[in-house]
Structure formats: C-alpha cells, structure tokens
C-alpha cells in the first residue's frame, strides 16, 4: 500500500481475548453514507483522525416532514454549499446525493415539485447522483415517487443510491426496488448501490449485478459482527460498509471500528482496505466529480 512505509510505529494493544498489532495511522476509509448535517464538529475531527478520506451524504428525512418545496431547496443548498465548506475545515472532501426521501413520498404532488428542482443542483461540483431513494412502507405512492427518481437519474445519467425498508418490509421492498431498476433498460446495475442490505437481501442484490451497502447501526440494521459474517460468506466484491450516522442513535466511527473487528477476526490489511476504501472509491469514481486529494 502506498505510503505505508511512513506510518507511525506499530503499537501493541489489548483487544478482545488476544493481543493485536494496531497501526492507527495506516487505516484509510471512505464514509459512503453519513448524514453530516446532523453531526457536530467533533465527529468530523474523529472521522479524519481515524483515517476518513471522504464523506458522501445522501439527502435524508429531517425527522419531521418538510412542509414545502422551499424547505427542500434550502436543504439542497445546505448539502451542496454549506456542508462541503464545513467538512473542508477538517480537510475532508464532502460529496452529496439529492432526492426527496421515501419517508416523505406519500405526498406525490409535493414530491413531483421537489424532483422538479433537483436538476438545478445536479451540475454542482460535489453532487454524485440521486439518493437515497427507495421505499419505506412499500406503498403505491412511494413506488410512483421511486419511478420518478429513477427516470430523472436515467435522463441525467446519474448514479443511484437506494434506501431499503426496515425489518419485515425489507425483503418485499428490496424485491420491488430491484424490479423497478431492472425494468428500466436505461439503468445499469453497476451504477446503483442498494443500501441497508442484511443477510436475507444481500444475495439477491449482488446476484442481479448491483452494489450492496451494509449499514452499521448499534441497534437496528446490521451490526459490525453481522456485516463481517456477510463479507465472509459473500466476499467483498461490490460491497461496502457505512455508518449512516444521522440525528438518531448511530455511530460515526462504525466503519473503522468494524475494520478493527475484522483485524481481530484475521482479515488482512489489503482485504480491509479493499472493503472500506477501494470499493467505495471504485463505485463513486463512476461519477467523474468524485476526486480525492490523496489517493
Ligand atoms: Zn441514510
């Protein structure tokens, strides 16, 4: 790995049952899904300290429904203007994805208005694509709005980042989403990431040629240990991990912490680097706007 020769000396730390050699400054990773507008500056500092080389922020639900298209206009301005500047203060490149979240897709008329203003922002230098779109409760209105987003992404040749529903709705919702994407001939699966996969959905996503994201939440979605189980079963191709840190219970350092757990379980440095750095860089680099200061 380039630059590894200049790393800080190896430190022996006690970790779990055994002793583990840790090279703190050797780890590098991408946070491919972090809702940084909800986080404080200490989170940026911690992420950069842990080796974060870029953060990508999909548009998200605010925890309450925004009441008008103007609320979304301001949010998109925040994601494309203010947040990259805030991240830059910590030396961290910040990229974003735009959409109206499936949690706010019941009002189809409002969703159509919001989708109508997205093109104004798509050519901005840090916008990677359309996301996180998808389904929440698998309703008809959510499906309509999903199809509208997919159409916009196809017309503008955008990458797509997809949110899949929680718990018992996840399997059905993931099937519905894959059907929509596979049913549109303009969409290439290698340009879509299906996020929040779990043990029962990752296979169908990878088999269909899409990328899959594992979201490391302390309580729901995927724990670090389960994510590593999935990697050990399915391999690391077209797979990444993210923290999806937002305004709820979530851990901005979930990716590097899971990387430490991978080391403990015997994964070598190259395999870890591939999963947490090279894979997201490979996917994101399909958008020419994704550039890192030091690769
Ligand atoms: Zn998210």
């Amino acid at each position: 790995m380039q630059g590894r020769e200049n790393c800080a000396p190896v430190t022996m730390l006690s970790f779990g049952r055994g002793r583990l050699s840790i090279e703190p400054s050797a780890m590098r990773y991408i946070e491919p899904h972090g809702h940084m507008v909800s986080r404080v500056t200490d989170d940026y500092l911690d992420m950069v300290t842990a080796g974060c080389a870029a953060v990508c922020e999909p548009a998200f639900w605010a925890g309450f429904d925004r009441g008008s298209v103007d609320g979304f206009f301001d949010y998109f301005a925040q994601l494309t203007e203010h947040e990259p500047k805030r991240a830059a203060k910590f030396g961290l490149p910040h990229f974003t994805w735009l959409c109206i979240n499936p949690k706010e897709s019941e009002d189809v008329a409002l969703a159509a208005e919001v989708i109508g203003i997205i093109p104004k922002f798509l050519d901005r230098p840090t916008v990677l694509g359309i996301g996180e779109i998808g389904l929440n409760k698998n309703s008809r209105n959510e499906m309509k709005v999903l199809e509208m987003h997919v159409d916009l992404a196809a017309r503008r040749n955008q990458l797509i980042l997809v949110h899949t529903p929680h718990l018992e709705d996840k399997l059905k919702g993931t099937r519905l989403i894959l059907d929509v994407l596979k049913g549109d001939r303009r969409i290439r699966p290698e340009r879509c990431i299906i996020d929040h996969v779990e043990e029962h959905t990752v296979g169908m996503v990878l088999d269909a040629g899409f990328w899959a994201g594992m979201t490391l939440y302390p309580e729901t979605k995927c724990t670090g240990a389960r994510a590593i189980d999935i990697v050990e079963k399915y391999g690391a191709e077209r797979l990444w991990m993210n923290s999806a840190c937002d305004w709820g219970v979530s851990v901005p350092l979930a990716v590097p912490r899971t990387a430490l757990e991978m080391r403990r379980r015997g994964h070598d440095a190259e395999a870890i680097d591939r999963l947490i750095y090279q894979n997201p860089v490979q996917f994101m680099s399909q958008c020419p706007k994704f550039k890192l200061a030091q690769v």
Side-chain angles (χ1 to χ4, degrees):
M1 206 55 57
Q2 279 187 347
R4 288 289 161 86
E5 311 79 50
N6 300 323
C7 293
V10 174
T11 311
M12 296 303 290
L13 296 178
S14 175
F15 193 84
R17 277 173 293 182
R19 283 166 68 83
L20 179 73
S21 65
I22 305 278
E23 298 173 66
S25 60
M27 191 185 293
R28 58 179 186 174
Y29 76 101
I30 306 292
E31 174 51 80
H33 187 149
H35 298 293
M36 300 309 293
V37 302
S38 304
R39 310 306 308 196
V40 297
T41 50
D42 271 0
D43 294 323
Y44 272 123
L45 196 56
D46 290 346
M47 290 163 70
V48 172
T49 304
C52 190
V55 61
C56 308
E57 176 156 7
F60 187 44
W61 186 51
F64 59 91
D65 289 352
R66 297 175 180 89
S68 73
V69 68
D70 293 338
F72 285 90
F73 191 94
D74 289 345
Y75 179 44
F76 297 157
Q78 181 184 18
L79 288 173
T80 56
E81 295 167 19
H82 176 71
E83 204 58 34
K85 287 185 195 152
R86 202 164 75 101
K89 287 180 183 163
F90 301 89
L92 190 61
H94 177 284
F95 299 92
T96 195
W97 305 73
L98 302 177
C99 75
I100 176 169
N101 195 267
K103 282 179 188 277
E104 290 171 295
S105 295
E106 276 308 316
D107 184 342
V108 178
L110 174 62
E113 261 191 284
V114 173
I115 291 169
I117 64 167
I118 289 175
K120 291 185 173 70
F121 294 87
L122 282 182
D123 290 332
R124 292 196 170 183
T126 55
V127 177
L128 298 179
I130 301 296
E132 56 187 295
I133 59 173
L135 298 172
N136 182 45
K137 296 198 180 310
N138 301 335
S139 72
R140 281 185 188 199
N141 285 352
E142 289 176 13
M143 286 289 285
K144 275 186 203 157
V145 175
L146 170 63
E147 287 167 357
M148 290 157 67
H149 278 120
V150 170
D151 178 62
L152 173 60
R155 283 189 282 111
R156 295 293 299 265
N157 194 29
Q158 297 290 305
L159 298 177
I160 292 177
L161 190 152
V162 177
H163 162 102
T164 51
H166 301 266
L167 303 174
E168 71 271 17
D169 292 329
K170 186 178 289 288
L171 184 61
K172 182 182 174 196
T174 303
R175 278 197 189 117
L176 289 169
I177 290 163
L178 294 187
D179 285 348
V180 168
L181 293 171
K182 288 191 286 189
D184 190 324
R185 287 188 179 181
R186 300 169 297 175
I187 299 297
R188 286 158 50 198
E190 69 272 19
R191 290 174 56 82
C192 306
I193 173 95
I194 312 297
D195 216 335
H196 318 321
V197 299
E198 294 179 22
E199 293 85 347
H200 58 310
T201 57
V202 63
M204 74 170 81
V205 170
L206 294 175
D207 286 348
F210 296 93
W211 282 70
M214 300 180 291
T215 298
L216 309 166
Y217 265 9
E219 294 174 351
T220 59
K221 298 193 171 79
C222 213
T223 62
R226 285 171 54 204
I228 300 168
D229 288 344
I230 289 172
V231 173
E232 289 172 353
K233 182 168 179 187
Y234 289 92
E237 193 179 347
R238 283 181 284 115
L239 205 55
W240 78 32
M241 300 193 297
N242 60 73
S243 77
C245 54
D246 53 36
W247 41 261
V249 178
S250 51
V251 180
L253 293 183
V255 172
R257 286 184 190 178
T258 301
L260 291 180
E261 176 69 7
M262 287 179 76
R263 284 186 188 176
R264 193 182 72 77
R265 284 171 55 161
H267 294 256
D268 64 30
E270 170 60 23
I272 295 169
D273 189 69
R274 183 180 177 202
L275 182 66
I276 67 176
Y277 182 85
Q278 296 172 40
N279 277 4
V281 167
Q282 183 186 345
F283 178 83
M284 240 72 89
S285 296
Q286 294 181 94
C287 174
K289 289 187 269 183
F290 183 79
K291 290 201 167 62
L292 298 173
Q294 296 174 327
V295 179

